[in-house]
Amino acid sequence: MCAKPIKWDGKKKINLALQGGGSHGAFTWGVLDEILQDDRLDIEAITGTSAGAMNAVALVQGYLEDGRPGARRKLEEFWSSICEENALTIGQRDFIDTFFGSWKLDDSPFRMWTDYLGSFTSPYSLNPLNINPLCELLEKIIDFEKVRACEEVKVFVAATNVHSGHIAIFPREKLTANHVMASAYLPTVFQAVEIDGVPHWDGGYMGNPALFPLFYESATPDILIVQINPVERKTTPRTQREIQNRLNEITFNGALLSELRSIDFVNRLVDTGKLKRATSIIGRMMNRGRHSHEAYMRPFVHRIDGVAEVSSFASDSKMDTRWVFLTQLRDIGRASAKTWLAKNYDSIGVNSTLDLDIAFN
């Protein structure tokens, strides 16, 4: 039997789970822009990885400064700052393009040289001084003191602990530019980011995004996943770069698929009465060594995805930072969110709109 809709001050609350995926994160920008403009949903918590984490901190800072309008402006400012047309030196542009890239650099001497060197050496040799204009840009655009001070929205950023191989979750109140960059650093491109003496790599290896913080730290049962990495592609990658891009997509979807299968499994146990369902939301789902009589939250899972549109682009398009492409993705995200809200708003707080069995099994 479905629970009654949960509302706060006349609005419904949701948690957001934001995937990373280079410039395809501009799709997520569009989704967030529409949600903020719609004004019927409050965001309790956001979990994000890589570009998803960057979207999260931009939203939170803007929200603290001027509510929803401020969040929308800050998101646009962030994406505008990384577009290739804006003022960066050529050297800075080359380093930024290594992360977000630029399709025009695919055949440039810089890109061919780094691809060649990267096939048999490491970023510790290629960039021994660890020069990082992207981190400098993030520190310029995002005021992390304000992000840490915004208590209205919880934020969780995922990275991979290189030593233990475990996922590392950094909460909003501890976030710095280094934490967000750790969430975004592919080890074949950038040196690991050390946090408290421990090296960290891209969070996508262990959680893209990580959902479990929402089960323990949020009182809201609804999780809206903004998915930008295609689970399926119908073409066979053949070039070295195509193979690497597809391998990254498969790897970076793996942890999310695993968590969603776990949610589906626990939901089935709750629905059949084999596990006790919580009469109030207690922010827990998995037992994790607790007593077997403990009640479990049944999360409601939703998804807005740009997979149909985004997968029509080549996988290398996640390296395209032209403003015309970023705004195209933003507009696709806006339209996708608007369509999803029109169809599914009434289900928030009532039931899932994503059939996990069909979608991921």
Side-chain angles (χ1 to χ4, degrees):
M1 183 175 180
C2 293
K4 293 181 179 180
I6 297 173
K7 294 186 179 183
W8 288 258
D9 300 324
K11 297 175 182 176
K12 295 186 178 183
K13 275 202 172 184
I14 56 169
N15 297 312
L16 297 176
L18 310 181
Q19 277 199 325
S23 64
H24 289 181
F27 171 89
T28 303
W29 164 30
V31 170
L32 297 175
D33 190 73
E34 181 63 32
I35 288 174
L36 291 164
Q37 187 175 30
D38 184 273
D39 201 33
R40 289 181 295 167
L41 291 177
D42 281 341
I43 302 166
E44 180 173 350
I46 306 174
T47 178
T49 299
S50 193
M54 296 179 190
N55 274 317
V57 295
L59 183 152
V60 168
Q61 179 186 334
Y63 187 86
L64 180 67
E65 291 174 343
D66 189 25
R68 292 170 184 267
R72 296 180 66 202
R73 286 194 299 270
K74 199 65 183 179
L75 283 163
E76 180 167 4
E77 180 186 357
F78 169 73
W79 285 99
S80 176
S81 73
I82 66 167
C83 88
E84 69 178 44
E85 290 90 344
N86 283 340
L88 287 172
T89 67
I90 293 175
Q92 287 177 321
R93 183 74 260 161
D94 284 342
F95 276 99
I96 297 294
D97 285 325
T98 305
F99 175 71
F100 282 106
S102 169
W103 66 277
K104 292 192 301 185
L105 288 180
D106 282 353
D107 298 320
S108 73
F110 178 84
R111 175 56 69 90
M112 290 189 291
W113 179 242
T114 55
D115 278 355
Y116 171 70
L117 289 177
S119 65
F120 62 86
T121 190
S122 82
Y124 291 86
S125 299
L126 284 173
N127 184 15
L129 298 180
N130 203 22
I131 299 170
N132 184 3
L134 182 59
C135 187
E136 296 171 10
L137 179 64
L138 191 66
E139 289 177 325
K140 179 180 178 181
I141 298 298
I142 303 298
D143 185 337
F144 281 91
E145 186 174 350
K146 290 183 178 179
V147 171
R148 293 189 294 271
C150 183
E151 298 181 354
E152 289 85 351
V153 183
K154 301 180 180 73
V155 177
F156 306 97
V157 169
T160 300
N161 183 312
V162 178
H163 286 171
S164 70
H166 296 164
I167 191 169
I169 300 295
F170 304 119
R172 184 209 67 245
E173 54 269 24
K174 293 184 178 181
L175 289 181
T176 66
N178 273 348
H179 294 90
V180 176
M181 296 315 303
S183 179
Y185 270 18
L186 291 170
T188 56
V189 178
F190 297 106
Q191 295 185 24
V193 178
E194 287 205 3
I195 298 173
D196 296 329
V198 179
H200 291 80
W201 285 339
D202 195 299
Y205 293 109
M206 300 304 296
N208 190 24
L211 303 183
F212 68 88
L214 303 176
F215 306 140
Y216 296 101
E217 303 295 337
S218 171
T220 298
D222 290 85
I223 300 171
L224 175 57
I225 301 168
V226 183
Q227 187 171 6
I228 56 177
N229 285 296
V231 176
E232 296 183 5
R233 280 191 185 271
K234 300 301 183 183
T235 58
T236 302
R238 299 186 183 278
T239 68
Q240 188 274 339
R241 188 172 298 164
E242 288 173 346
I243 292 169
Q244 186 61 55
N245 284 335
R246 184 57 183 149
L247 181 61
N248 284 341
E249 286 178 343
I250 292 171
T251 302
F252 286 0
N253 275 325
L256 175 63
L257 294 177
S258 179
E259 282 200 274
L260 289 171
R261 290 189 183 103
S262 296
I263 292 173
D264 185 45
F265 175 70
V266 172
N267 282 352
R268 290 173 186 271
L269 295 179
V270 171
D271 291 344
T272 57
K274 294 179 181 178
L275 288 177
K276 182 181 178 182
R277 182 171 183 167
T279 56
S280 61
I281 304 304
I282 59 174
R284 297 172 182 166
M285 189 193 79
M286 308 301 288
N287 201 351
R288 298 232 174 175
R290 297 181 175 91
H291 298 299
S292 60
H293 64 267
E294 187 170 357
Y296 287 73
M297 179 179 81
R298 191 196 192 288
F300 303 132
V301 183
H302 316 278
R303 179 180 65 182
I304 297 175
D305 71 77
V307 170
E309 294 86 353
V310 171
S311 63
S312 67
F313 301 117
S315 57
D316 258 1
S317 67
K318 68 183 63 174
M319 300 177 183
D320 184 348
T321 55
R322 295 170 301 149
W323 185 242
V324 65
F325 184 64
L326 296 178
T327 53
Q328 179 185 7
L329 287 171
R330 177 204 62 194
D331 292 344
I332 294 172
R334 281 175 176 166
S336 298
K338 191 167 188 171
T339 299
W340 187 88
L341 285 166
K343 181 180 178 181
N344 298 298
Y345 177 80
D346 290 340
S347 295
I348 298 172
V350 179
N351 56 262
S352 295
T353 58
L354 177 62
D355 189 321
L356 299 179
D357 186 48
I358 295 175
F360 297 106
N361 291 325

